[in-house]
Amino acid sequence: MKKILVIGIGAGNPEHITVQAIKALNRAAVFFILDKGYADDELLRLRREICERYIEGDGYRLVQVQDPRREDDPVSYQNGIEHWHEQRAALFERLIADEVKAGETGGFLVWGDPGLYDSTLRILDRVLARGNEVFGVEVIPGITSVQALVAQHGIPLNRIGEPIQITTGRRLAQASGDDIDNVVVMLDAHCTFERFVAQDLYIYWGAYLGTEDEVLISGPLRDVSERIKQTREAARGRKGWIMDTYLLRRHMR
C-alpha cells in the first residue's frame, strides 16, 4: 500500500524540526510542495532548505505544484472553503496517483502542526472517500506558531487553573470582549484586536515567528495596538505576505 506522511515542520525555524520528523523525511521518496503563487516565496525556499539539511542522500524528489486559489463566496464563508477543499482534493488525488508508486511513501510538509488550523488531513480524508486511491496516512506533529509565540515572549501559555482558547480573527470579531481572558488568535488579517482596546487586556504579538524576520511586540493593548498595526502593515508591504499570531490576556480578576 502507498503511504502518505503529513509532517509538521515547525513555525519557520529549520531547527524546530523534531527527531521524529527527520526520520520521517528520510522515509519518503517524494514530497509535494504547494506554491501559493508569490513572486518571492520564502516559504518554498525554507521547505527546500529543510529537505537539503536533514535528508541523507539525494534519492528523493520534490514535486512543486500551484495551490488552487481560494475564492471567497459572497453568500457563505463555508461554501468558499468547501469549493477550495474540493479543488485541493482533486489535486492531491492526482499527485498521489501519478507520483507515488505502489509501496512508495510520499510526504506533505506542513507549517506548524498538521492538527492545528491546517487542512491537509481533511483533504486527504476527502481523497480516500472518493475511493480512487488507497493509501495509509501517518501524522508527525510539529511545533506550532502558538508554542513559538509564548516561547519567544518567555511566558507560559496558560495560567494556573485557567483554560486557554485558540480561535481565529473571524471568530474573535464576534466576541463581546467581556469573555476574553486567555485567547490565542490565528489567521487574523484585519487586526481584530483593535476592537478591544477599551478592555483591560495585555497582548503578546509575533510575526514571522522562528525566522530571521521575526518581530515581537507586547504590552497593554491600549498602548501598543497602533504600533502593532503599523508594524504589521510595514512588514507585509516589505515582504508581500505576513504570518502573525497573538495572545490576548486579561489581568487577573
Side-chain angles (χ1 to χ4, degrees), residues 11-30:
N13 185 339
E15 294 187 357
H16 283 173
I17 301 295
T18 65
V19 174
Q20 184 184 16
I22 292 173
K23 290 180 178 179
L25 288 170
N26 281 279
R27 289 164 51 197
V30 57

Side-chain angles (χ1 to χ4, degrees), residues 77 117 165-174 183-189 192 246:
Y77 171 77
Y117 286 110
Q165 180 185 8
I166 301 176
T167 190
T168 64
R170 180 182 294 272
R171 296 301 297 268
L172 181 68
Q174 302 169 12
V183 179
V184 174
V185 184
M186 306 177 71
L187 307 176
D188 183 7
T192 308
Y246 58 90

Side-chain angles (χ1 to χ4, degrees), residues 23-250:
K23 290 180 178 179
L25 288 170
N26 281 279
R27 289 164 51 197
V30 57
F31 296 95
F32 303 117
I33 298 179
L34 300 183
D35 184 350
K36 299 290 186 180
Y38 300 125
D40 181 21
D41 198 332
E42 182 180 351
L43 300 182
L44 287 177
R45 292 200 303 273
L46 280 171
R47 284 187 177 95
R48 293 179 180 276
E49 178 186 335
I50 286 169
C51 289
E52 292 170 0
R53 181 169 181 172
Y54 293 112
I55 298 177
E56 300 175 4
D58 56 2
Y60 64 94
R61 293 179 291 118
L62 297 179
V63 176
Q64 182 175 321
V65 293
Q66 189 72 38
D67 193 15
R69 184 174 179 180
R70 192 181 112 191
E71 302 286 351
D72 291 333
D73 189 300
V75 177
S76 167
Y77 171 77
Q78 292 297 334
N79 286 347
I81 294 295
E82 175 70 19
H83 178 65
W84 181 46
H85 282 188
E86 273 300 304
Q87 289 183 301
R88 274 190 150 194
L91 173 63
F92 284 20
E93 181 179 271
R94 177 174 60 80
L95 289 173
I96 294 170
D98 295 348
E99 302 291 345
V100 184
K101 300 176 182 178
E104 274 192 342
T105 298
F108 287 90
L109 306 183
V110 173
W111 292 112
D113 181 88
L116 183 63
Y117 286 110
D118 183 82
S119 63
T120 305
L121 294 176
R122 295 186 184 92
I123 305 304
L124 291 173
D125 283 344
R126 284 177 180 249
V127 175
L128 287 170
R130 289 167 176 249
N132 298 320
E133 285 293 315
V134 179
F135 52 87
V137 177
E138 183 178 338
V139 181
I140 291 83
I143 293 174
T144 68
S145 61
V146 178
Q147 295 162 286
L149 176 74
V150 294
Q152 294 302 89
H153 280 289
I155 59 172
L157 180 58
N158 66 293
R159 295 188 293 199
I160 297 174
E162 289 189 345
I164 183 77
Q165 180 185 8
I166 301 176
T167 190
T168 64
R170 180 182 294 272
R171 296 301 297 268
L172 181 68
Q174 302 169 12
S176 66
D178 293 333
D179 53 354
I180 296 176
D181 288 315
N182 284 289
V183 179
V184 174
V185 184
M186 306 177 71
L187 307 176
D188 183 7
H190 304 291
C191 297
T192 308
F193 54 79
E194 285 188 295
R195 301 184 180 207
F196 307 104
V197 291
Q199 298 280 332
D200 187 22
L201 296 171
Y202 204 93
I203 187 169
Y204 299 90
W205 176 85
Y208 313 115
L209 291 161
T211 73
E212 294 180 353
D213 296 308
E214 180 179 88
V215 188
L216 300 170
I217 297 176
S218 65
L221 180 59
R222 63 172 61 91
D223 295 341
V224 300
S225 175
E226 187 60 30
R227 179 154 65 98
I228 292 173
K229 185 178 178 181
Q230 292 176 0
T231 301
R232 188 183 190 281
E233 184 177 353
R236 190 177 190 281
R238 183 174 64 254
K239 293 180 67 67
W241 60 277
I242 190 165
M243 292 172 61
D244 60 337
T245 305
Y246 58 90
L247 167 66
L248 289 176
R249 174 166 286 171
R250 187 179 302 278

